[in-house]
């Protein structure tokens, strides 16, 4: 079979399956063994495909975690072995060995996670550092400087006196203004 699995074999109608096999030429024999085996196989595949067709099954292949090393895999295997040994014997010494290995595995996983997170953060920082450096390198100074306008540092306008404004003046100015909203208005 090519990795796919058959449907439920227990749900096959046995009478119909048997009738299909009897109707085939499986019972005729040949002197050549290879011909007989091929005939037997091809004859049985037909009714089997009809009554229990192959069901496709998708398998998701996930990439290996870079944090889960071969040393951790071996420590986990040892822990499982000690757990089975303790389960079979029930002895306190086997329980203690299992518990020690479980604690050791836990400590190794935590330290590996810490190192892996630090490495990931360093890679992330260096990636963006490179992006910024590339951006700054590619930035054309002449084009960016041409966008800047010179600023005149001298100011010719000055306020020498202020006049008090009444509430009637403010109301009159507000009422005379247009009521069209702007996207910059806070309300």
């Amino acid at each position: 079979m090519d990795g796919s699995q058959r449907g439920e074999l227990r749900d096959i109608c046995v009478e119909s399956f048997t009738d299909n096999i009897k109707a085939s030429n499986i019972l005729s024999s040949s002197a050549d063994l290879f011909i007989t085996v091929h005939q037997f196989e091809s004859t049985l595949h037909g009714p089997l495909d009809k009554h229990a067709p192959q069901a496709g099954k998708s398998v998701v292949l996930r990439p290996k975690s870079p944090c889960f090393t071969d040393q951790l895999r071996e420590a986990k295997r040892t822990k499982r072995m000690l757990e089975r040994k303790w389960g079979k014997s029930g002895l306190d010494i086997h329980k203690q060995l299992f518990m020690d290995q479980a604690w050791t595995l836990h400590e190794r996983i935590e330290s590996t996670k810490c190192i892996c997170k630090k490495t990931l953060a360093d890679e992330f920082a260096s990636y963006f550092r490179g992006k910024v450096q590339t951006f700054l390198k590619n930035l054309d100074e002449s084009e960016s400087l041409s966008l800047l306008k010179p600023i005149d540092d001298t100011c010719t306008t000055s306020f020498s006196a202020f006049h008090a404004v009444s509430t009637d003046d403010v109301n009159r100015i507000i009422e005379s203004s247009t009521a069209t909203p702007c996207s910059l208005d806070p309300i």
Side-chain angles (χ1 to χ4, degrees):
M1 214 182 292
D2 60 356
S4 57
Q5 297 178 348
R6 291 268 176 211
E8 290 293 327
L9 293 175
R10 63 176 160 239
D11 294 339
I12 291 178
C13 177
V14 178
E15 294 82 21
S16 176
F17 185 69
T18 306
D19 291 341
N20 286 346
I21 292 175
K22 285 179 182 175
S24 68
N25 60 356
I26 198 169
L27 299 177
S28 64
S29 62
S30 173
D32 188 10
L33 178 64
F34 292 110
I35 293 173
T36 305
V37 168
H38 177 68
Q39 182 183 9
F40 187 78
E41 186 176 295
S42 62
T43 304
L44 287 180
H45 271 287
L48 193 57
D49 286 341
K50 178 181 175 186
H51 294 281
Q54 289 184 343
K57 183 177 183 181
S58 61
V59 176
V60 178
L61 296 176
R62 291 184 173 79
K64 289 185 177 182
S65 171
C67 297
F68 199 73
T69 62
D70 290 336
Q71 291 84 8
L72 289 177
R73 193 169 285 106
E74 185 59 38
K76 187 175 180 180
R77 191 175 296 127
T78 303
K79 184 191 95 160
R80 296 287 186 218
M81 180 202 59
L82 291 172
E83 183 180 23
R84 286 190 300 271
K85 189 179 241 184
W86 169 47
K88 285 181 184 178
S89 71
L91 296 175
D92 286 338
I93 187 67
H94 291 149
K95 178 182 178 182
Q96 188 60 43
L97 289 171
F98 163 68
M99 299 294 280
D100 290 345
Q101 182 64 25
W103 181 252
T104 302
L105 177 63
H106 174 73
E107 287 178 333
R108 284 185 184 176
I109 288 174
E110 290 303 313
S111 67
T112 304
K113 276 185 190 177
C114 184
I115 292 168
C116 195
K117 286 178 184 176
K118 183 180 178 342
T119 304
L120 186 62
D122 290 344
E123 288 175 5
F124 188 74
S126 82
Y127 171 77
F128 278 103
R129 195 176 302 118
K131 284 287 228 183
V132 169
Q133 288 172 349
T134 304
F135 176 75
L136 292 175
K137 187 175 86 173
N138 293 336
L139 188 62
D140 185 18
E141 283 189 26
S142 64
E143 185 178 316
S144 63
L145 291 177
S146 69
L147 297 175
L148 298 175
K149 295 183 179 179
I151 299 173
D152 188 15
D153 289 343
T154 60
C155 181
T156 57
T157 309
S158 66
F159 291 110
S160 57
F162 293 95
H163 298 279
V165 180
S166 68
T167 54
D168 291 336
D169 291 338
V170 172
N171 282 335
R172 185 174 32 82
I173 292 170
I174 291 174
E175 288 172 357
S176 68
S177 65
T178 59
T180 56
C182 174
S183 63
L184 299 176
D185 289 340
I187 297 177

